[in-house]
Amino acid sequence: MAETTRDRVTKFFQKNIANRVMRHIPIQTLLETTGRKSGLPRTTPLGGRRIGDEFWFVSEFGDRSQYVRNIMTDPNVRLRLRGRWHRGIAHLLPEDDAQARMRMLPRYNNVGVRTFGTNLLTIRVDLID
């Protein structure tokens, strides 16, 4: 599926404005992946829900998201939840019904995913510590 102008504008806004601000909010959930080309840590603010030892969220651009591509190369991630870092293993779940999954996640986090999402993908992170 080709990237639309809306996708490009949304990604530009997220990368250059929203994510830069959100990373500095102490209670913001952050996903840290390893850059598939650089090998450097890459941090992405996101929303989702912890359920037991799992953290669930939905990517609005699916396998076109840079952090999803990083996960495909190395599923070992870190998550900052409520100010504390946890190690985990991320699992891409294309067979999961992302629309149904979003009904189980916090509504305010899903506004952007519902509004701008064009290739929804459910992701589960199994928390190690």
Side-chain angles (χ1 to χ4, degrees):
M1 182 154 82
E3 187 173 65
T4 66
T5 300
R6 182 177 83 167
D7 290 349
R8 286 190 296 276
V9 169
T10 300
K11 287 179 183 180
F12 178 85
F13 174 78
Q14 288 175 334
K15 179 180 179 184
N16 296 296
I17 300 169
N19 288 357
R20 289 179 186 218
V21 171
M22 299 301 285
R23 281 187 193 107
H24 299 288
I25 298 173
I27 61 169
Q28 173 64 49
T29 299
L30 298 177
L31 173 70
E32 183 182 271
T33 60
T34 301
R36 64 194 176 284
K37 295 178 184 176
S38 70
L40 298 173
R42 300 295 182 207
T43 307
T44 305
L46 51 79
R49 172 168 280 146
R50 182 176 184 165
I51 302 171
D53 289 333
E54 300 171 339
F55 184 81
W56 292 83
F57 65 101
V58 174
S59 169
E60 68 259 53
F61 300 116
D63 61 3
R64 292 192 317 269
S65 293
Q66 297 301 314
Y67 69 85
V68 172
R69 291 178 178 178
N70 291 342
I71 289 169
M72 292 167 75
T73 300
D74 181 358
N76 295 290
V77 300
R78 290 192 330 142
L79 268 173
R80 186 178 77 180
L81 301 170
R82 299 179 187 221
R84 182 170 174 257
W85 286 98
H86 304 268
R87 290 180 305 124
I89 307 293
H91 303 275
L92 308 179
L93 304 171
E95 69 283 354
D96 191 67
D97 182 345
Q99 293 286 348
R101 180 68 56 192
M102 286 194 305
R103 289 191 287 276
M104 300 170 61
L105 301 177
R107 287 184 181 262
Y108 64 92
N109 292 126
N110 289 323
V111 170
V113 176
R114 287 180 210 268
T115 303
F116 302 111
T118 56
N119 187 28
L120 302 181
L121 174 65
T122 300
I123 301 171
R124 183 189 79 233
V125 177
D126 296 336
L127 300 171
I128 298 169
D129 62 0

